[in-house]
Amino acid sequence: MSTAESSHGRTVITERAIERVVRAVTAEQFGVQAKAVSADLTDAGGRLDLAVRTPIRVVPISRVHEDADAIRRSGGSIVDRAQHGEATIADRVSEITGSTVSRLSLRFTSADIAKERRVR
């Protein structure tokens, strides 16, 4: 065996590491803390099935009444953000881990109502 052949090995990413990646990517996508996100992973013939539960940050209704653009600035409606979020999470998890996400089930557990910061 040559030196080049013996230097090649195998890289294994543990389920726990992938779960942490899923939680971090989801938290970033929906503006919440990673510790508030939970994820279950299932190996589906070498591909990942993900079941993710997360809160979602939303603007207060009072703010929407004051400024119709508040929803657009927050990323759109919850339905729009969910659809975009599913695709983004699957793509980012695949990019970071090298695993193919075959299915992603996303469930919002609560709304984190945060005031929109005003630029001065």
Side-chain angles (χ1 to χ4, degrees):
M1 184 181 281
S2 73
T3 307
E5 289 175 10
S6 65
S7 66
H8 293 336
R10 192 174 100 165
T11 302
V12 177
I13 302 174
T14 66
E15 182 177 334
R16 184 173 177 179
I18 294 172
E19 178 189 348
R20 285 184 180 216
V21 168
V22 171
R23 289 175 53 213
V25 168
T26 302
E28 180 180 33
Q29 182 65 36
F30 295 113
V32 296
Q33 294 184 354
K35 67 182 180 183
V37 178
S38 63
D40 294 322
L41 289 65
T42 306
D43 183 347
R47 296 173 179 230
L48 289 176
D49 281 354
L50 305 175
V52 180
R53 291 165 306 284
T54 182
I56 183 171
R57 178 162 285 165
V58 297
V59 295
I61 292 174
S62 60
R63 183 74 179 129
V64 174
H65 288 299
E66 294 170 7
D67 179 4
D69 261 0
I71 291 176
R72 181 190 54 77
R73 282 194 307 275
S74 72
S77 72
I78 291 174
V79 172
D80 291 341
R81 292 172 62 198
Q83 290 172 339
H84 180 259
E86 284 179 339
T88 301
I89 292 164
D91 290 347
R92 291 284 295 143
V93 168
S94 292
E95 179 184 333
I96 293 168
T97 67
S99 300
T100 302
V101 176
S102 61
R103 190 173 69 102
L104 189 144
S105 170
L106 180 63
R107 177 177 290 188
F108 293 123
T109 57
S110 63
D112 179 7
I113 301 171
K115 290 189 177 182
E116 190 177 38
R117 292 182 182 160
R118 294 182 184 250
V119 178
R120 292 182 182 191

